[in-house]
Amino acid sequence: MVAVQQSVCLVSVLRLCGLQLLLACICVCGCGPSQQQQLERARKALELHSRGIALLENKEWLEADQILEELTVLLPEALVPARNLAVARLLTLTDRETPYSESKDAEKFLAALQKAEATVARYRELAARANSGEQAIAALLAGKLAALQDS
């Protein structure tokens, strides 16, 4: 039960930023040794999230994918990192200038498509336990993926 509460707290902390994040971590984690580890984990998650989103905004696909995947490994049950990785992998496939563009290298495109399929499927699993907004986003991403598969 404690592990679930800690994961829920950590995911909630990711939605905050700056000073709010620091205050939330202090309130949630306290000052003990295990709480210090949770605080470090929260800091790492926030850093990965921020870097991943910044890399996406700059269309640095490979680096964004690596960072966001690392975040999903750190927080495997967290919805937002799963969504961001699914979006990143779909954007990678749709951008004509990416090295994964179907017109540039069919083998790389197919490998990237398979990774996107697995990622969207995982996000859909997590979204099924969430609100209808997340379920709608998951369905939209699955539809976009289906359109890519047909092309």
Side-chain angles (χ1 to χ4, degrees):
M1 182 69 171
V2 172
V4 171
Q5 288 175 335
Q6 288 174 342
S7 293
V8 169
C9 290
L10 186 57
V11 171
S12 297
V13 164
L14 286 175
R15 295 189 177 140
L16 303 174
C17 63
L19 183 58
Q20 290 176 328
L21 172 67
L22 182 59
L23 292 174
C25 288
I26 290 169
C27 291
V28 169
C29 299
C31 298
S34 67
Q35 289 82 13
Q36 183 64 31
Q37 290 172 343
Q38 286 296 319
L39 182 59
E40 289 303 316
R41 186 171 177 221
R43 284 184 185 146
K44 177 154 180 88
L46 182 61
E47 176 189 335
L48 290 171
H49 176 77
S50 297
R51 284 181 50 211
I53 297 302
L55 289 165
L56 273 181
E57 290 174 354
N58 291 318
K59 295 184 178 185
E60 296 179 32
W61 306 121
L62 182 60
E63 295 87 354
D65 186 277
Q66 291 170 345
I67 296 295
L68 293 171
E69 186 170 28
E70 186 178 344
L71 182 57
T72 61
V73 169
L74 181 65
L75 303 171
E77 296 300 314
L79 189 63
V80 173
R83 179 185 351 117
N84 289 341
L85 183 58
V87 168
R89 288 187 171 165
L90 284 171
L91 286 173
T92 299
L93 293 170
T94 58
D95 183 4
R96 295 197 189 283
E97 296 180 21
T98 181
Y100 304 107
S101 173
E102 187 175 16
S103 62
K104 289 186 180 176
D105 187 337
E107 288 182 22
K108 281 185 181 179
F109 178 81
L110 289 175
L113 186 61
Q114 289 175 341
K115 285 174 72 173
E117 289 170 351
T119 305
V120 169
R122 176 64 181 145
Y123 172 57
R124 288 190 85 175
E125 289 173 19
L126 294 171
R129 296 180 253 162
N131 61 47
S132 61
E134 289 294 341
Q135 293 169 10
I137 293 169
L140 178 72
L141 294 177
K144 183 69 172 172
L145 183 60
L148 286 169
Q149 291 166 329
D150 286 340
S151 63

